[in-house]
Each structure stands twice: as C-alpha cells, then as structure tokens.
Amino acid sequence: VQLVESGGGLVQAGKSLKLSCVASGFERDDWAVGWFRQAPGMERERVACIGQRIRNTHYEDSVKGRFTISLDDSENIIYLQMSDLRPRDAATYFCAADPVPVCYDRFTADDFVHWGRGTQVTVSE
C-alpha cells in the first residue's frame, strides 16, 4: 500500500486549502482512511477519519465544522478540505490507512498501519 499526499502550502489565516492523498496497492475494498497532523515539537494528532464502506466520518473537535474528509473511489483519492484555517492548524499533514471497514470515533494514530510521508501546511496571520 502506498499513500502520497499533496496540496500543502502557505495560506493566510481564514482561507481554505484542499489536501489530496492518492492511494494505491489496496488489495481489498474495505479501508478506513485518516488524516493526521504533527507540528514541530508536538505529538501527532488526529484530524479526521472516514470508513470506505459506509462513509462514516469522525473529526477532532478543533476542526469540526471547518474541515471535511471525503473519498473518490474511482480515483482512489482521499481529500481533506480545510476552511477558515488558523495558525494553530499549521503542521505536516499525513494520510493513513487501516484495513477495517469503518472509522471508529476514538481513532488514533496507533490504529493505522500504512502512512504517507506528509505535506506541509503553513498558515500566516
């Protein structure tokens, strides 16, 4: 399984950015895919998760109402639409996948076995 993120960059506070994660090598149809982020000196924290089969989603409280995770099955792409970005959102964002059909509400980084290398998001004041 390979996951490749893109779409990061520098954006002003209050603006939007859309991240993409292209997935390949999946040998089954049921996956949970998550977005995580890690700022320098900080632990990796969860952002959002989606289950491929039933499209259930869960979000970290700090991004609810601002971020949206979605799947494009035909292209095997996972998106993270980020709106109203804040300096606190600046981090390296990682895409991750786990071979389970649903996203659990208490998902953590330890639940995911496959990871991309990340894409950097910087938010200026």
Side-chain angles (χ1 to χ4, degrees), residues 14-17 37 47 59-69 80-90 93 123:
K15 301 297 186 182
S16 299
L17 203 60
R37 65 187 182 187
V47 175
Y59 295 90
E60 177 60 23
D61 286 345
S62 64
V63 306
K64 282 181 181 177
R66 300 189 298 122
F67 290 12
T68 302
I69 187 171
L80 184 68
Q81 176 68 53
M82 305 184 294
S83 303
D84 188 23
L85 281 161
R86 304 165 183 173
R88 161 72 174 83
D89 296 316
Y93 282 70
V123 183

Side-chain angles (χ1 to χ4, degrees), residues 7 10-11 13-14 29 36 38 43 60 62 69 71-72 78 84 88 91 101 107 109-110 115 118:
L10 172 63
V11 64
D29 293 332
F36 296 80
Q38 187 169 19
E43 290 189 359
E60 177 60 23
S62 64
I69 187 171
L71 285 171
D72 181 338
I78 306 95
D84 188 23
R88 161 72 174 83
F107 74 95
D110 290 340
W115 290 84

Side-chain angles (χ1 to χ4, degrees), residues 26 28-33 49-57 71-74 76-78 98-103:
F26 285 3
R28 51 185 292 169
D29 293 332
D30 292 339
W31 289 87
V33 185
C49 173
I50 185 168
Q52 183 183 17
R53 177 182 290 181
I54 63 173
R55 296 294 200 267
N56 70 314
T57 57
L71 285 171
D72 181 338
D73 288 320
S74 64
N76 269 357
I77 301 176
I78 306 95
D98 192 50
V100 294
V102 298
C103 165

